[in-house]
Amino acid sequence: MNKINYQKELDKIIEQIEREDITPSLLLHSCCAPCSSYVIEYLSDYFNITVLYYNPNISDRDEYEKRKAEQIRLINSVKTKNKVSFLDCGYDSNEFFSIARGYEHYRENGERCLRCYRLRLERTASLAAEKGFDYFCTTLSISPLKNAQAINETGQRAALKYSVSWLPSDFKKRNGYKRSVELSKEFSLYRQSYCGCIYSKRERKFDGEKSNE
């Protein structure tokens, strides 16, 4: 099976938007401010964006609130061509633990992560359909540690389930991750050392201890 270039798929949609001279609405799931920085800079030229903060995987409430505050600060600080707003789903870690049960010892990018993608993207798709957004998407693919194909396939399945359009993407392409690091420095954003869940936090700590042996 040929590997899909999701950046080129996004290019085609943007070209159509420019030809039709329209500004569609986009519900953009964000995992954190640093990952969203480049995505907002890039996509706000073409979409009216609502950043959706739905991350029940985050290890504890204090960490959740810290990351959320940075997300809001970034949105309030960055200058964009089109409107960018914020929507918070609230914090309920039980939603994550219920789908992670039995997969606690899987390493990052394994089945537990795939289930977490599905949890967050299905919620995003559901809200996008309910609120009448033209597209939905996620910032997750900007990370070099994330599987862009799995993320896009999950998004596409959620799109079919809720009858809303998925915006294909691989935001690490074209130096997207590098640009996110630059913007994080520019806005002095808090950059966490792990994805979010307690299991990835433990994995980072364990790997760090092993490397120091």
Side-chain angles (χ1 to χ4, degrees):
M1 184 174 67
N2 292 331
K3 190 173 181 180
I4 298 172
N5 187 319
Y6 292 103
Q7 177 62 54
K8 287 187 177 179
E9 295 299 306
L10 175 56
D11 287 342
K12 293 175 186 177
I13 293 172
I14 288 175
E15 287 170 6
Q16 181 179 354
I17 287 170
E18 291 183 310
R19 281 197 307 272
E20 296 178 2
D21 193 24
I22 56 174
T23 308
S25 58
L26 171 67
L27 186 61
L28 175 67
H29 166 263
S30 174
C31 55
C32 63
C35 286
S36 72
S37 58
Y38 162 73
V39 180
I40 290 172
E41 179 186 67
Y42 173 28
L43 294 184
S44 62
D45 280 351
Y46 312 103
F47 299 87
N48 287 318
I49 298 174
T50 296
V51 174
L52 177 68
Y53 204 72
Y54 175 60
N55 297 295
N57 59 307
I58 293 177
S59 58
D60 57 67
R61 182 173 289 279
D62 287 345
E63 181 72 14
Y64 177 89
E65 295 296 341
K66 187 173 185 178
R67 295 191 192 191
K68 183 177 78 169
E70 285 294 88
Q71 182 71 76
I72 294 170
R73 183 170 70 84
L74 173 67
I75 291 170
N76 291 336
S77 301
V78 69
K79 294 181 180 178
T80 59
K81 176 181 175 181
N82 293 306
K83 182 180 178 182
V84 179
S85 55
F86 179 78
L87 177 61
D88 178 23
C89 281
Y91 180 66
D92 183 357
S93 60
N94 290 326
E95 294 178 342
F96 169 72
F97 287 122
S98 67
I99 62 95
R101 191 173 297 116
Y103 300 89
E104 294 88 347
H105 300 294
Y106 281 62
R107 287 188 64 85
E108 192 167 348
N109 262 333
E111 180 61 27
R112 186 186 65 246
C113 290
L114 295 178
R115 293 168 72 87
C116 187
Y117 298 161
R118 184 162 64 247
L119 173 69
R120 290 185 281 174
L121 288 180
E122 287 203 357
R123 181 68 177 274
T124 307
S126 173
L127 285 170
E130 176 187 325
K131 295 179 180 296
F133 282 86
D134 297 309
Y135 293 92
F136 76 103
C137 189
T138 181
T139 63
L140 287 168
S141 69
I142 199 168
S143 171
L145 300 175
K146 296 289 188 292
N147 184 328
Q149 182 169 335
I151 291 165
N152 278 277
E153 289 174 353
T154 302
Q156 288 163 347
R157 286 193 292 269
L160 289 172
K161 182 175 180 178
Y162 292 98
S163 300
V164 64
S165 295
W166 166 252
L167 190 70
S169 59
D170 187 353
F171 292 121
K172 69 178 71 66
K173 299 284 189 181
R174 298 180 185 167
N175 292 317
Y177 177 72
K178 179 182 177 182
R179 178 59 179 157
S180 75
V181 173
E182 293 171 352
L183 289 166
S184 294
K185 291 178 180 177
E186 180 181 334
F187 291 101
S188 300
L189 297 175
Y190 163 61
R191 289 185 68 88
Q192 60 283 350
S193 60
Y194 64 103
C195 176
C197 76
I198 188 65
Y199 311 116
S200 66
K201 186 177 183 179
R202 289 173 182 168
E203 188 176 312
R204 288 287 188 279
K205 183 179 179 182
F206 177 75
D207 289 347
E209 289 173 350
K210 283 189 67 176
S211 66
N212 291 327
E213 288 178 353

